[in-house]
Every structure is written in structure tokens, then in C-alpha cells.
Amino acid sequence: SGHETDVVVKKGRNESGEGTFLVQAGSGRASTLTSGFPSTREALFGYDAIVIANIEGDFFTRAQLTSVAEFASERGGGLLVLGGRSFASRGLIGTPLEAALPVELNDRRAGLASSRGDGELPPAHNAVTLTAEGERHPVTRIGSSIEQSREMWAALPRLSASAPLGGPKPGASVLAV
């Protein structure tokens, strides 16, 4: 059994000011995504993981953000939130989704971008550097050994941008900065 991926890309607005989306989804699921988000809780909970990438916090309704938080906390679904727009300005601060994230959003002075977790600063601005835990974690292991993974991560291009985040919440693991 393989895996299926549904993709929704925010395009813009139509003549009526409504959001328009490019939807690529498996048969039977595309109709639940025409508004850019699964139309029911049941449709959302049918997924194994959700990636929210570079979408402003005010794009989603409070009910949608609550559903995503419940998707992670109640259903146990995977959740990845990334991209500068997702965290710009107030971003997701004060939303129901904030509690589901592994970092503090309201205290950006403890920013992850400033520390590897061991007090050592990253070698270059917007360069991704693994922490000691990240070097051992299966999610970030891209080589056949720790040394090879470290070399491969170091060879990756720098990120074009980054957003300041607060420190990790209790129980969270920082794998890279």
C-alpha cells in the first residue's frame, strides 16, 4: 500500500473576493477541499498528516484552527507548520493552534535561531545546523552515519529566510536550528 498526497495551493481571489485554490487530490476528496481546507472535521480526520506551509495565521477561521489542533491532539495526526508567513507578525499567537506547536510563540527573545540548545551559535545566518539530538534522530538522519549526515546537512544551501521563534515547550526536542 502506497501513500496518497492531496495538495491545496492558495492562488488568490476571484471577482467576488473569495479565495481561489489549486486542488490536486485523490478521487472523492477533491470536493471537500474546494474552499482550501477540508469541509468537515471527518474529512480532516481522514488524513494522517497536515503540512501548513507559508500561510498567514488569519487565513484560517478560528474553527479551522481548532480542528487542526484537535487533529494533532485528539486524532494523533502529524502536523508540520513552516514558512515565514506562518509565523510573521502575530502569526498563530493566541490561536487554538498555538497550543499544538512545540515552541513558544509569545516569547521570541528565547529564539531557537539564536541557540543550538548547547549554547553554541549557528555558523552562518539561515544555515541549518543539527543539534546533538538532531544528529541522532531518525527524522534528520539523511546519511548512513552521523558523520555523513552532518556533512550532508552542512552542504545544503542556506534558507532564503527564517522567522524568529520562542524556545521549546517542555517535552519538545530541538533537532535543528
Side-chain angles (χ1 to χ4, degrees), residues 6-12 19-25 33-34 36:
D6 295 347
V7 178
V8 178
V9 177
K10 180 181 165 188
K11 288 177 33 176
T20 59
F21 306 92
L22 170 64
V23 176
Q24 294 179 314
L33 299 171
T34 57

Side-chain angles (χ1 to χ4, degrees), residues 32-99:
T32 69
L33 299 171
T34 57
S35 67
F37 190 82
S39 56
T40 65
R41 176 182 164 109
E42 293 72 28
L44 177 66
F45 277 40
Y47 289 95
D48 293 320
I50 300 171
V51 177
I52 298 173
N54 223 20
I55 297 290
E56 298 84 357
D58 62 357
F59 167 78
F60 297 102
T61 67
R62 191 156 188 87
Q64 289 171 331
L65 291 171
T66 298
S67 292
V68 172
E70 291 170 351
F71 170 84
S73 65
E74 293 176 21
R75 188 213 175 284
L79 174 63
L80 174 61
V81 180
L82 61 117
R85 287 186 189 150
S86 298
F87 297 101
S89 187
R90 292 210 34 92
L92 297 169
I93 294 173
T95 70
L97 190 54
E98 182 178 10

